[in-house]
Amino acid sequence: MQHPSAYVAEHGDKHALVMGTSGQTLTYRELEDASNRVAQLLRARGLRTGDRIAVLLVNGPPWYEVVWGALRAGLYVTPVNFGLTAAEAGYIVADCGAAALVADAGLAETVAGMGADLDGVGTRLAVGGDLSGFEPYAEAVAAMPAARIADEWE
């Protein structure tokens, strides 16, 4: 099996993702860069191999960036379905022991209703807008260096 970085060197400008409804694309090189920055961000926020992250995002490129970045950092990823109620989503986040939550700003009502289930979540990132008590995902990721870090799977 070819390591993702080797694949990027050979096929980096090919589309890794094409969103059917919007036509939005993400190349393998863009995914490599974004996931690398996400991994660095999560490590900078204190997450270590074996920690857990919950992902409450609608379908789109950030979902792939976050999940691939978390895996690069050696984290366990718990996807949370964006169609769940606040109580259901909150239960999953608390039950998985998430140290981090990345949530879509469009799901603000769901996130707000999660209440005390978020008490153990130290790192909170909002994608696509503002969420009270959450750091803007795009700004936090952009602040990370582009230099490639070693992946946990290497």
Side-chain angles (χ1 to χ4, degrees):
M1 181 172 159
Q2 190 176 35
H3 186 278
S5 295
Y7 189 85
V8 168
E10 190 175 331
H11 305 286
D13 294 325
K14 290 186 178 183
H15 290 133
L17 175 70
V18 178
M19 296 302 296
T21 54
S22 69
Q24 187 177 11
T25 63
L26 190 67
T27 67
Y28 285 100
R29 184 168 285 108
E30 290 168 334
L31 181 55
E32 166 78 3
D33 178 59
S35 67
N36 177 53
R37 289 173 189 261
V38 168
Q40 290 184 68
L41 172 63
L42 295 171
R43 287 182 182 171
R45 297 301 185 272
L47 280 80
R48 297 294 174 253
T49 301
D51 285 342
R52 292 160 177 80
I53 181 173
V55 182
L56 177 62
L57 295 173
V58 298
N59 296 332
W63 191 92
Y64 293 91
E65 297 168 3
V66 171
V67 170
W68 285 35
L71 293 173
R72 290 180 86 143
L75 307 180
Y76 290 102
V77 178
T78 300
V80 182
N81 187 301
F82 58 83
L84 295 175
T85 66
E88 294 166 332
Y91 172 82
I92 292 169
V93 171
D95 187 59
C96 78
L101 171 63
V102 181
D104 193 289
L107 301 170
E109 188 174 313
T110 301
V111 173
M114 294 165 78
D117 287 325
L118 298 181
D119 287 350
V121 180
T123 298
R124 301 175 186 191
L125 299 166
V127 172
D130 295 328
L131 279 174
S132 180
F134 282 65
E135 181 180 4
Y137 168 81
E139 292 174 21
V141 170
M144 293 294 107
R148 188 177 174 281
I149 61 169
D151 301 326
E152 284 297 315
W153 62 67
E154 291 184 312

